[in-house]
């Protein structure tokens, strides 16, 4: 048996991060890893190719506390340890009969050069690329796409003609929400944090309208202007004032689909909740519903075949923001909170 | 044709009420009313017997504004004019072939001695008393009961064994939510504003536990104590800190049913929304849903026959708070916001 030991570089947090992340919160560490799978271990050794970089990960970097909700699908991150994330990898060695050297796989890997995983724990699947780039399987054909799809259809129960508002609309999920809603025949408006992003939404992705929230003095009036007939579905990625303004502009029986809360992610404690006018919730029979994409994996194949078909017929576009090199993960990650990214943020490792 | 003119006393607001109501906000007025129905008018002349007194009415007394949501089922109230409310009445005269003198009816009447209404506008129905007191048809067998029933079953989708928290639990709707939930086999805890109310909930209505929120320093800890296994359904009548504390204690896939927002009703503007931790909404896939009972009238007969059956077998109890005399409506109404009432507040007019 080959016993090649390899230096495996990985990104770790130095300590829990409870405010806005900075580069010095992270470190590039290394450990030695055996690149062969022990017989009987069911281990799979992976060479990591692309990893996902997502805003929700900051939530997992905070100091764990009873009042700080997380989920088994997104456990807390321990300082100094490897960080688990969605990624695409190539099998280097395998003691699992379902995987063999050379397979492309996707699942929960790490911000690291190599990972040794077990199939079940990592939700590892052989990747059917459908002849699309590997990165698409982290974004438009991966968890970002599934989040947009189930948020809009399964949670939001969107219907043709609905008036849909999306915040963080140029982000990994937001841009796909808008594209799916347009394909269904909805009126779609997005908010974003730069004029460049606004232009992308309107000119490249077919949004009916978009606005730069940094230029707005009164979000309620802004939304009233863009939605003279009210909002039916608000796909919320940010919370706080934007959520409050959207609720004020919602139609009776409107639905708020809560996918993320970027306004809360980097606020130091004590974090105050988003102020919601509950009278509006009652008098307009509004529903606010949070969801985790991990509860909707049963619709993944259905979603993937639809999205792939839209991609093939050029009805959808993949917007990606790809950095190269493990050492660039911290800056790519921090950029999410500065609004630097456009579309899906991915780091190419190998 | 008899042309008897009668002095009709009624209660009006002197001006819009935007803060806490006081007696001097109201006045007892009178007008002359013809107590015979004009041929061809389809009018129905009613002698009002009992009228409902509800917290939501304060919302209708505020100054109308675009940012102030209401519904067609609960329109704004005009100073000096009669105030429309649910009530039970006796037909004095009728030009509507479906109603005749001596009929007992229920529907939208007024805080007044007499009302002249049209059947459709007033949603007037002949009252099948099922041999219960007339007042029951405003409370446990009326809109309060229906609110509790549809909020719990249609909106909350309650299941046997669910852990249910009800705020304002001794109020007209809250006490019935708790009773319905107990009959289904739920674990039920209520909050109320006095020790007397807490005793009623535990000793007379069979709640598993109840607490006086005025005695609690930290509502999150209080709820954690009463719900060591979390809350599945929170039936919210109050909003604000209680809602925030309930969300913090909810289980994954928990549901907040929003029936009323008593904390907001008497706050002067600008009213700040209830602070909701949206991270909890996402990570626990919580749903918050407002509803109006007027959208569920289609289940009224089903509800009424069930509630009547529970009453006959003494499985449910009607808790009523009845004042006598039109002139006592303002004090009964103001009492709602002081927490004076226990159960359904009704004023007997004739």
């Amino acid at each position: 048996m080959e016993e090649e030991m390899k230096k495996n570089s990985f990104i770790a947090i130095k300590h829990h991060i409870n405010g806005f992340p900075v580069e010095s919160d992270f470190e590039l560490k290394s450990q030695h890893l055996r690149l062969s799978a022990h017989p009987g271990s069911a281990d799979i050794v992976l060479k990591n190719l692309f990893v996902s970089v997502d805003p929700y990960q900051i939530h997992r970097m905070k100091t764990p506390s009873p009042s700080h909700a997380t989920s088994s699908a997104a456990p807390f991150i321990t300082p100094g340890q490897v960080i688990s994330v969605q990624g695409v990898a190539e099998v280097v060695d395998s003691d699992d009969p379902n995987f063999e050297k050379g397979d492309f796989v996707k699942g929960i890997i790490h911000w690291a050069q190599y990972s040794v995983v077990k199939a079940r724990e990592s939700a590892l699947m052989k990747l059917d690329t459908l002849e699309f780039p590997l990165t698409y399987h982290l974004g438009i054909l991966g968890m970002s796409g599934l989040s947009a799809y189930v948020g809009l259809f399964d949670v939001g129960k969107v219907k043709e003609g609905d008036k849909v508002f999306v915040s963080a609309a140029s982000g990994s999920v937001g841009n796909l929400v808008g594209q799916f809603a347009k394909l269904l025949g909805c009126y779609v408006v997005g908010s974003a944090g730069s004029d460049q992003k606004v232009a992308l939404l309107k000119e490249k992705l077919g949004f009916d309208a978009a606005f730069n929230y940094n230029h707005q003095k009164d979000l309620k009036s802004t939304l009233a202007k863009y939605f003279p007939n009210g909002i039916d579905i608000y796909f919320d990625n940010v919370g706080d004032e934007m959520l409050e303004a959207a609720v004020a502009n919602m139609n009776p029986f409107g639905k708020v689909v809560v996918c993320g809360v970027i306004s809360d992610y980097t606020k130091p404690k004590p974090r105050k909740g988003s102020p919601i006018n509950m009278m509006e919730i009652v008098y307009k029979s509004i529903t606010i519903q949070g969801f985790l994409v991990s509860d909707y994996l049963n619709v993944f194949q259905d979603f993937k075949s639809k999205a792939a078909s839209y991609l093939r017929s050029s009805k959808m576009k993949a917007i990606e923001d790809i950095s190269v090199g493990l050492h660039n993960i911290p800056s790519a990650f921090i950029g999410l909170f500065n609004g630097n990214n456009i579309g899906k943020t991915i780091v190419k490792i190998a």
Side-chain angles (χ1 to χ4, degrees), chain A residues 89-93 100-105:
Chain A
E90 185 179 346
V91 175
V92 171
D93 194 19
E100 61 184 43
K101 186 173 173 173
D103 284 347
F104 286 111
V105 294

Side-chain angles (χ1 to χ4, degrees), chain A residues 70-92:
Chain A
T70 187
S71 74
S72 57
F76 285 109
I77 289 166
T78 306
Q81 302 293 310
V82 289
I83 293 173
S84 57
V85 296
Q86 282 283 331
V88 171
E90 185 179 346
V91 175
V92 171

Side-chain angles (χ1 to χ4, degrees), chain A residues 115-183:
Chain A
S115 293
V116 178
V117 303
K118 301 217 193 302
R120 192 192 178 88
E121 289 165 10
S122 286
L124 213 65
M125 293 188 292
K126 273 193 212 179
L127 185 58
D128 181 359
T129 66
L130 306 174
E131 298 182 17
F132 291 109
L134 291 176
T135 52
Y136 281 27
H137 300 279
L138 293 179
I140 194 166
L141 296 175
M143 288 300 123
S144 303
L146 185 63
S147 295
Y149 184 83
V150 303
L152 201 55
F153 291 95
D154 295 67
V155 184
K157 316 267 189 224
V158 66
K159 298 181 304 296
E160 185 182 341
D162 275 352
K163 294 168 282 293
V164 177
F165 174 52
V166 192
S167 55
S170 73
S172 59
V173 177
N175 89 84
L176 300 173
V177 170
Q179 293 191 66
F180 277 124
K182 281 308 302 173
L183 284 167

Side-chain angles (χ1 to χ4, degrees), chain A residues 13 45 94 101 115 135 144 147 168 220 251 317 333 335 346:
Chain A
I13 54 172
V45 183
S94 172
K101 186 173 173 173
S115 293
T135 52
S144 303
S147 295
K220 281 187 195 177
N251 286 329
K317 293 185 180 68
F333 180 66
I346 291 169

Side-chain angles (χ1 to χ4, degrees), chain A residues 90-307:
Chain A
E90 185 179 346
V91 175
V92 171
D93 194 19
S94 172
D95 186 56
D96 182 320
N98 296 314
F99 296 89
E100 61 184 43
K101 186 173 173 173
D103 284 347
F104 286 111
V105 294
K106 63 175 284 191
I108 298 166
I109 59 175
H110 304 99
W111 280 350
Q113 291 178 291
Y114 294 90
S115 293
V116 178
V117 303
K118 301 217 193 302
R120 192 192 178 88
E121 289 165 10
S122 286
L124 213 65
M125 293 188 292
K126 273 193 212 179
L127 185 58
D128 181 359
T129 66
L130 306 174
E131 298 182 17
F132 291 109
L134 291 176
T135 52
Y136 281 27
H137 300 279
L138 293 179
I140 194 166
L141 296 175
M143 288 300 123
S144 303
L146 185 63
S147 295
Y149 184 83
V150 303
L152 201 55
F153 291 95
D154 295 67
V155 184
K157 316 267 189 224
V158 66
K159 298 181 304 296
E160 185 182 341
D162 275 352
K163 294 168 282 293
V164 177
F165 174 52
V166 192
S167 55
S170 73
S172 59
V173 177
N175 89 84
L176 300 173
V177 170
Q179 293 191 66
F180 277 124
K182 281 308 302 173
L183 284 167
L184 185 66
C186 295
Y187 170 77
V188 181
V189 178
S191 67
S194 78
D195 293 345
Q196 185 198 0
K197 293 177 180 179
V198 166
L200 171 84
L201 297 175
K202 290 197 290 190
E203 291 157 24
K204 199 161 171 190
L205 299 183
F207 280 53
D208 294 285
F211 64 88
N212 179 344
Y213 61 80
N214 290 312
H215 293 174
Q216 312 302 320
K217 279 195 180 140
D218 175 358
L219 290 171
K220 281 187 195 177
S221 308
T222 299
L223 288 177
K225 189 179 77 180
Y226 285 107
F227 290 95
N229 299 311
I231 299 169
D232 297 311
I233 295 183
Y234 169 41
F235 196 102
D236 185 18
N237 291 305
V238 304
D240 221 356
E241 292 90 352
M242 192 69 90
L243 172 57
E244 191 182 14
V247 165
N249 282 282
M250 290 204 84
N251 286 329
F253 304 102
K255 190 137 191 182
V256 178
V257 178
V258 191
C259 180
V261 196
I262 207 165
S263 70
D264 263 20
Y265 287 148
T266 57
K267 275 186 206 159
K269 290 185 178 182
R271 289 181 285 279
K272 196 71 186 153
S274 296
I276 296 184
N277 182 339
M278 298 306 291
M279 297 299 291
E280 304 250 18
I281 302 303
V282 174
Y283 277 90
K284 299 197 293 196
S285 299
I286 290 172
T287 300
I288 299 175
Q289 187 170 349
F291 76 102
L292 293 173
V293 67
S294 48
D295 290 315
Y296 293 87
L297 299 180
N298 59 316
V299 299
F300 183 74
Q301 289 308 328
D302 177 45
F303 144 74
K304 186 176 171 181
S305 67
K306 276 189 191 148

